[in-house]
Amino acid sequence: FFFFWFETMSIKGYLDTLAQDRLVYLKNVSTEKNLRSCADGGCDGCGGFGAWSKFRVKRVEGECLTRFQCFKDPSKWLQIDKDGDIITGPLNSDCTFFVVRQGNHIASFRSLEHPQFYIGISSDGVALHSHNDHYDETRFSIEAASDRCSDWDDRTVLGV
């Protein structure tokens, strides 16, 4: 009983990082770049700290379920479609993720609709799905966006 209570408390404290309506950056452990939504509805792993790299957390009923709303375009949500493509689009069943705790402020995000897929980023910055949460490409540190300047766009500053 004590172990179950301790583990539940540990998970709840961890999920406070993903509090409702919190702005976050999802920084890939492998590339040390942020996941970024793109104007064309795609995603990549080449983000800095601009508006395209921010996501608003929208918790879903249940302890470990969440959705990520694009900050730059609130009509778009992070999702993995049936083919495993990581995209942004309208809110639908592809937008819900199970949070898999990997360590202190480190998590993987498994699609609830397509549980064989995790969000991942390749070494060259391509957003891709993975079938395994044991690879660094699927692990993300969660950083509150309020910790960084919110008025500039990383692509403009970096000349991308």
Side-chain angles (χ1 to χ4, degrees):
F1 173 75
F2 177 74
F3 176 76
F4 175 76
W5 175 81
F6 178 76
E7 184 64 23
T8 302
M9 293 303 291
S10 175
I11 290 170
K12 285 183 180 180
Y14 170 76
L15 289 176
D16 287 344
T17 305
L18 292 170
Q20 182 75 344
D21 290 321
R22 176 172 280 173
L23 284 176
V24 297
Y25 297 110
L26 301 175
K27 181 178 177 183
N28 185 262
V29 170
S30 176
T31 65
E32 297 191 2
K33 292 282 192 171
N34 289 327
L35 185 66
R36 176 174 66 183
S37 60
C38 301
D40 65 359
C43 288
D44 67 29
C46 300
F49 295 101
W52 289 101
S53 297
K54 290 182 187 181
F55 293 92
R56 186 170 304 280
V57 174
K58 295 294 185 178
R59 296 291 297 276
V60 181
E61 187 176 318
E63 278 301 310
C64 298
L65 298 177
T66 193
R67 295 181 181 132
F68 297 100
Q69 183 181 32
C70 298
F71 176 75
K72 184 72 174 179
D73 183 352
S75 70
K76 294 184 178 181
W77 298 76
L78 185 62
Q79 53 188 269
I80 298 180
D81 68 13
K82 63 180 173 45
D83 299 319
D85 294 326
I86 299 170
I87 58 173
T88 59
L91 182 61
N92 62 35
S93 61
D94 292 341
C95 301
T96 304
F97 297 94
F98 181 76
V99 180
V100 180
R101 182 177 181 219
Q102 300 290 352
N104 190 24
H105 298 284
I106 305 291
S108 295
F109 302 101
R110 187 182 73 198
S111 172
L112 190 64
E113 184 72 14
H114 312 288
Q116 71 274 27
F117 296 137
Y118 291 82
I119 295 174
I121 297 176
S122 68
S123 61
D124 59 352
V126 175
L128 51 79
H129 70 272
S130 178
H131 296 282
N132 193 325
D133 69 334
H134 299 293
Y135 300 122
D136 283 345
E137 67 187 20
T138 66
R139 295 178 182 198
F140 293 86
S141 63
I142 303 155
E143 184 175 329
S146 59
D147 294 343
R148 300 282 186 178
C149 177
S150 60
D151 296 332
W152 56 276
D153 183 282
D154 57 314
R155 295 176 307 149
T156 303
V157 172
L158 298 175
V160 176

